[in-house]
């Protein structure tokens, strides 16, 4: 159906989005990248392009895309920035990832997204900025979300270890196992 709509109107935004989502759900990441590049729609479909590169572990392509595309860079899209932050994490650049998580776009202090908070804590745990550990651990949002995810508690425990709070880290891990 999507292809039929695109034959009639190749610029139909809903059909373009549906086409990308369908390809992503089928794990056809190369096809998503080719489709978006062929249509020259990297700005409009930035999230799908970023996600396809991320899933393919095309980190260099994703980092280049983010740095070269001002429209994507300035897009204020939390999801695109989250993918970029995760790519930075995967490439051992947690300090820059932390900056993105603390930006006004993602704003980790106000998010209710467990995945974002989990990934933020992972970056804190491996960063060269241990002074952020206590701020992250004391985050009100973290306290509210911690009953929702083993991974979140695990990363919190890693931060506690980083802060040399071993007993609290152990208690956090025991609690995580109970979830």
């Amino acid at each position: 159906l999507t292809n039929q709509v695109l034959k009639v109107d190749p610029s139909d935004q809903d059909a373009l989005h549906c086409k990308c989502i369908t390809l992503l759900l089928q794990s056809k990441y190369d096809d998503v990248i080719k489709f978006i590049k062929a249509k020259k729609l990297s700005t409009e479909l930035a999230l799908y392009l970023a996600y396809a590169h991320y899933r393919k572990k095309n980190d260099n392509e994703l980092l280049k895309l983010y740095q070269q595309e001002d429209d994507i860079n300035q897009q204020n899209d939390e999801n695109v920035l989250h993918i970029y932050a995760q790519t930075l994490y995967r490439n051992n650049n947690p300090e820059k990832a932390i900056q993105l998580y603390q930006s006004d776009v993602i704003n980790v202090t106000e998010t209710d997204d467990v995945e974002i908070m989990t990934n933020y804590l992972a970056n804190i745990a491996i960063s060269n900025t241990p002074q952020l550990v206590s701020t992250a651990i004391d985050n009100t949002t973290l306290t509210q979300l911690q009953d929702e995810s083993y991974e979140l508690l695990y990363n919190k425990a890693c931060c506690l270890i980083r802060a040399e709070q071993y007993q609290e880290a152990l208690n956090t891990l025991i609690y995580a196992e109970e979830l």
Side-chain angles (χ1 to χ4, degrees):
L1 181 63
T2 303
N3 289 335
Q4 293 171 349
V5 172
L6 288 172
K7 282 181 185 175
V8 174
D9 182 5
S11 64
D12 184 293
Q13 289 298 306
D14 291 333
L16 292 167
H17 285 268
C18 286
K19 175 81 172 184
C20 289
I21 291 169
T22 300
L23 292 170
L24 288 171
L25 289 173
Q26 296 172 353
S27 300
K28 295 182 177 180
Y29 307 118
D30 285 328
D31 292 345
V32 173
I33 294 166
K34 288 176 194 170
F35 177 74
I36 292 171
K37 285 185 177 184
K39 299 275 186 190
K40 298 181 180 167
L41 296 169
S42 62
T43 302
E44 295 89 344
L45 303 172
L47 174 61
Y48 308 122
L49 184 60
Y51 185 74
H53 280 300
Y54 180 77
R55 292 301 304 234
K56 291 279 300 168
K57 296 185 178 174
N58 292 340
D59 293 350
N60 289 335
E61 283 298 313
L62 183 53
L63 294 171
K64 276 194 270 181
L65 176 73
Y66 185 82
Q67 292 164 353
Q68 291 172 354
E69 296 286 340
D70 285 338
D71 292 332
I72 292 173
N73 198 358
Q74 301 299 322
Q75 191 176 17
N76 291 339
D77 184 324
E78 178 179 298
N79 296 315
V80 172
L81 291 179
H82 185 206
I83 291 169
Y84 180 55
Q86 281 306 101
T87 304
L88 291 168
Y89 171 79
R90 201 159 58 188
N91 285 274
N92 200 26
N93 193 347
E95 286 76 18
K96 193 162 184 178
I98 290 167
Q99 288 175 351
L100 288 175
Y101 284 118
Q102 292 174 335
S103 72
D104 290 339
V105 178
I106 297 178
N107 195 354
V108 74
T109 59
E110 295 180 9
T111 188
D112 61 353
D113 188 317
V114 174
E115 185 177 349
I116 286 176
M117 184 59 78
T118 300
N119 294 338
Y120 172 67
L121 289 177
N123 280 283
I124 295 284
I126 67 165
S127 75
N128 291 322
T129 51
Q131 65 272 21
L132 291 175
V133 172
S134 62
T135 305
I137 293 169
D138 295 336
N139 184 314
T140 306
T141 305
L142 173 60
T143 305
Q144 295 167 349
L145 295 174
Q146 69 183 9
D147 292 340
E148 296 186 33
S149 167
Y150 168 85
E151 291 83 2
L152 180 69
L153 288 170
Y154 177 86
N155 288 351
K156 179 182 178 182
C158 290
C159 288
L160 289 164
I161 290 167
R162 183 77 190 265
E164 298 180 358
Q165 297 176 21
Y166 303 116
Q167 188 58 51
E168 192 172 343
L170 179 61
N171 293 341
T172 302
L173 288 173
I174 291 169
Y175 181 67
E177 285 181 337
E178 294 171 0
L179 285 183

